[in-house]
Amino acid sequence: MVSRAEPSLSGRWWWSIDRLILSALVALMVSGVVLLMAGGPPVSERLGLSTFHFVNRQAVYLLVALTVVIAVSFMTPRQVRRSALLLFVVSLAMVVATLYLGVEVKGARRWLTMGPLGSVQPSEFLKPAFVVLAAWAFAEGTRRPDLPGTIMAFLLLPLTIVPLVLQPDFGQTMLITLVWAGLFFVAGLHWFWVLGLGGAGAFGILVAYQLVPHVRARIERFMDKGSGDTFQVDTALESFAQGGWFGKGPGEGTVKRILPDAHTDFIFAVTAEEFGIIVCIALVMLFALIVLRALFVAQKAEDPFVRLATTGLSLLFGIQAAINMMVNLHMMPAKGMTLPFISYGGSSLISLAIGTGFLLALTRKRPRAVDLGAFRR
């Protein structure tokens, strides 16, 4: 056990880190490997791979992700901001590159082949970087009216989402826009602008419905099952019905064998069939614990940047989880959104590790006597 008086960097880190958030994140990571042992093998068999292909790769990704979380959590707020700027520039350049060099999958170009690293989805890494930069811009606009911080925050949104729309990736676009709107609201800007942004968002959805065939198809299938193929959602709902409260037991699920993306987008449904609704509720509580704890810490933060960035990162994490679970329960149109630290995917896991590492870094306890001006610099 590390002594509270331990002067080393690791000792100071241990006593300043929010251990409740860290413990919940580790619990999610461990749960991800266990639950993927249910959803991964059927997909591996269908693809002609070894039975535990996805499980083994996920375990490696999670070790890397845990290392990234711990390393990033050592950062100061200043280092978080600088790292986010670098990550944003690189990720945005890679997102633009996917429009020309990306691998086309299901009509969208979202992936870049990076040689021995395999395929990378740059938009995943763009999300946490965008949130931190938007929080910094809003904070500077609030703290120093002489700087165009708010204008920068307004310009940052279209700069980020236009390349995503062109891929097209409307799921990530919607997620980023929702988090940006949350930051806009928390920054204390007038209700007139909040309502105006809501109207603009609704107009954007209407335009996408009219002009983008697959968006129209997904919305129509959500509103009317008879309008198209609803096999994935129907199969996911069947998993919940068959699993009941306590599930069939590990390895006893059958619906997962025909459920597409059982290891990624629909792993929540696989969890329901084998482990029951009780375990699904426990997962929801873990996600809620992380988000609510982060928001509680953000509320007490004196530094505007720390408060807004912590709020934005927790919203990013929570909204992504909510979207995935709502799609599984047919509460919203289908979106290609992973369940944080549970779904399979290297890009998603490392991106989440960076985002939650930023979150842990910003929620660390720091002496109140520290001059906040120097702290920001």
Side-chain angles (χ1 to χ4, degrees), residues 49-361:
L49 303 170
S50 61
T51 302
F52 292 102
H53 172 81
F54 292 114
V55 178
N56 294 334
R57 289 174 66 90
Q58 184 81 340
V60 174
Y61 289 145
L62 281 172
L63 287 175
V64 176
L66 183 58
T67 303
V68 170
V69 168
I70 300 301
V72 173
S73 69
F74 275 85
M75 291 182 176
T76 64
R78 179 186 181 184
Q79 291 170 334
V80 167
R81 190 166 61 245
R82 289 185 171 183
S83 300
L85 177 59
L86 176 61
L87 182 63
F88 180 82
V89 171
V90 173
S91 300
L92 185 61
M94 292 176 67
V95 168
V96 173
T98 61
L99 301 176
Y100 305 96
L101 306 174
V103 179
E104 186 170 333
V105 179
K106 298 179 181 178
R109 293 182 179 272
R110 303 173 187 172
W111 298 85
L112 279 179
T113 302
M114 306 292 290
L117 295 177
S119 296
V120 176
Q121 187 175 0
S123 60
E124 290 286 352
F125 299 93
L126 191 63
K127 294 184 295 187
F130 167 83
V131 171
V132 172
L133 290 184
W136 172 79
F138 277 124
E140 289 300 301
T142 302
R143 189 174 64 89
R144 297 180 59 183
D146 57 310
L147 291 179
T150 303
I151 295 175
M152 290 172 58
F154 269 90
L155 295 176
L156 194 61
L157 181 63
L159 177 65
T160 305
I161 66 173
V162 167
L164 295 178
V165 171
L166 294 176
Q167 286 186 333
D169 190 343
F170 291 100
Q172 303 287 20
T173 299
M174 182 178 72
L175 176 59
I176 285 175
T177 304
L178 286 173
V179 175
W180 185 89
L183 285 173
F184 190 102
F185 178 77
V186 174
L189 300 180
H190 198 278
W191 271 100
F192 171 80
W193 293 105
V194 176
L195 295 175
L197 285 170
F203 178 74
I205 294 174
L206 178 62
V207 171
Y209 175 81
Q210 294 292 338
L211 300 181
V212 184
H214 83 268
V215 172
R216 183 188 309 115
R218 287 185 176 185
I219 293 176
E220 288 177 350
R221 285 199 299 269
F222 174 73
M223 301 299 294
D224 178 14
K225 285 190 175 184
S227 64
D229 179 20
T230 58
F231 176 76
Q232 288 194 92
V233 172
D234 291 342
T235 307
L237 290 176
E238 181 65 19
S239 295
F240 285 92
Q242 292 202 19
W245 283 102
F246 302 103
K248 292 181 174 180
E252 298 300 319
T254 56
V255 177
K256 65 183 182 181
R257 301 189 180 281
I258 59 171
L259 179 62
D261 301 322
H263 63 319
T264 53
D265 298 352
F266 288 93
I267 196 168
F268 192 61
V270 174
T271 301
E273 184 185 18
E274 296 208 353
F275 298 95
I277 296 174
I278 291 292
V279 172
C280 290
I281 292 174
L283 279 179
V284 172
M285 292 176 67
L286 264 180
F287 286 115
L289 173 64
I290 293 169
V291 173
L292 293 176
R293 174 63 181 176
L295 291 176
F296 175 76
V297 175
Q299 184 184 25
K300 298 195 299 181
E302 297 182 6
D303 186 284
F305 165 69
V306 172
R307 182 170 61 252
L308 286 170
T310 301
T311 299
L313 290 167
S314 61
L315 287 177
L316 179 69
F317 185 81
I319 293 173
Q320 177 169 334
I323 289 175
N324 177 278
M325 292 184 284
M326 290 172 71
V327 167
N328 277 246
L329 291 165
H330 195 51
M331 296 175 66
M332 68 178 296
K335 296 286 180 188
M337 198 76 66
T338 59
L339 188 59
F341 294 117
I342 305 295
S343 297
Y344 171 80
S347 295
S348 174
L349 280 174
I350 304 306
S351 163
L352 287 162
I354 293 172
T356 51
F358 284 161
L359 182 65
L360 286 169

